[in-house]
Amino acid sequence: MMRGKRTELRARREADVPVLHALHDDVATRCREDSVPWQPIAPGTRSPFAVAEPSDTAAPFSVVDLDSGELAGAALLWGIDAHNRKAHLGISLLPAFRGRGLGSDVVHVLCEYGFAVRGMQRLQVETMADNAPMIAAATKTGFTIEGTLRRSSWVYGACADVVVLGLLAHEWAS
């Protein structure tokens, strides 16, 4: 497990899955977070938040709020490319934990994991251009807005812009 000032990132547990699955059932939000169309998941079918075997290309975490000890959401380093030493990161907080400033702490801990533990040289965030909380969390942590991919995502009936942010290891260290 890894700790920040306000959150802890730990391995996913079976008991986390039903709680995190509520993130999938929030259709409007999930459509903004995933590159594939949302589809309902029948009971008994594998949840996208299911506990997975360790992987070289993805590191999923459960996010715990240190103040309450409650499960607050999910965090992920994905698209890990060990050869080129780069990865993407993403977070998804349960509605009750949004707007509390936990996002920047989660991003910070993911960066520590990516740079210090995994030896990445570049971390990247892609988010909807109107996702001010994620952009703020990333820039507060040191990410730089590198560009906008205009009308590059289909989101709930319309095309939307995506902002790309990047952070390099030497920028993190400083």
Side-chain angles (χ1 to χ4, degrees), residues 51-96:
V51 175
E53 292 296 318
S55 165
D56 291 334
T57 60
F61 295 95
S62 287
V63 177
V64 176
D65 174 29
L66 289 176
D67 288 339
S68 67
E70 293 180 76
L71 181 62
L76 176 70
L77 213 62
W78 61 276
I80 299 171
D81 178 345
H83 176 73
N84 292 304
R85 298 172 66 190
K86 62 182 181 175
H88 304 262
L89 64 88
I91 66 172
S92 187
L93 296 176
L94 293 161

Side-chain angles (χ1 to χ4, degrees), residues 4-171:
K5 293 179 180 175
R6 304 191 56 206
T7 61
E8 172 183 279
L9 273 54
R10 62 164 168 75
R12 183 96 17 98
R13 300 175 182 163
E14 289 295 336
D16 298 344
V17 176
V19 176
L20 294 176
H21 194 79
L23 292 166
H24 177 79
D25 289 340
D26 178 357
V27 179
T29 301
R30 189 69 182 177
C31 286
R32 298 173 53 76
E33 296 175 346
D34 210 336
S35 60
V36 297
W38 182 89
Q39 294 182 6
I41 297 176
T45 306
R46 184 174 166 84
S47 168
F49 297 99
V51 175
E53 292 296 318
S55 165
D56 291 334
T57 60
F61 295 95
S62 287
V63 177
V64 176
D65 174 29
L66 289 176
D67 288 339
S68 67
E70 293 180 76
L71 181 62
L76 176 70
L77 213 62
W78 61 276
I80 299 171
D81 178 345
H83 176 73
N84 292 304
R85 298 172 66 190
K86 62 182 181 175
H88 304 262
L89 64 88
I91 66 172
S92 187
L93 296 176
L94 293 161
F97 293 92
R98 295 176 190 157
R100 294 185 182 184
L102 298 178
S104 57
D105 193 60
V106 173
V107 170
H108 179 84
V109 178
L110 280 173
C111 288
E112 183 178 344
Y113 175 74
F115 292 130
V117 176
R118 297 295 294 259
M120 298 291 109
Q121 286 300 302
R122 174 185 171 77
L123 294 177
Q124 183 169 313
V125 172
E126 300 90 13
T127 190
M128 296 295 124
D130 64 353
N131 188 351
M134 184 63 200
I135 293 169
T139 55
K140 182 177 180 181
T141 306
F143 281 79
T144 299
I145 295 175
E146 297 179 332
T148 300
L149 305 174
R150 298 176 304 141
R151 298 177 53 92
S152 67
S153 287
W154 182 255
V155 179
Y156 212 76
C159 286
D161 294 349
V162 172
V163 173
V164 177
L165 301 101
L167 180 63
L168 304 178
H170 74 274
E171 295 166 340

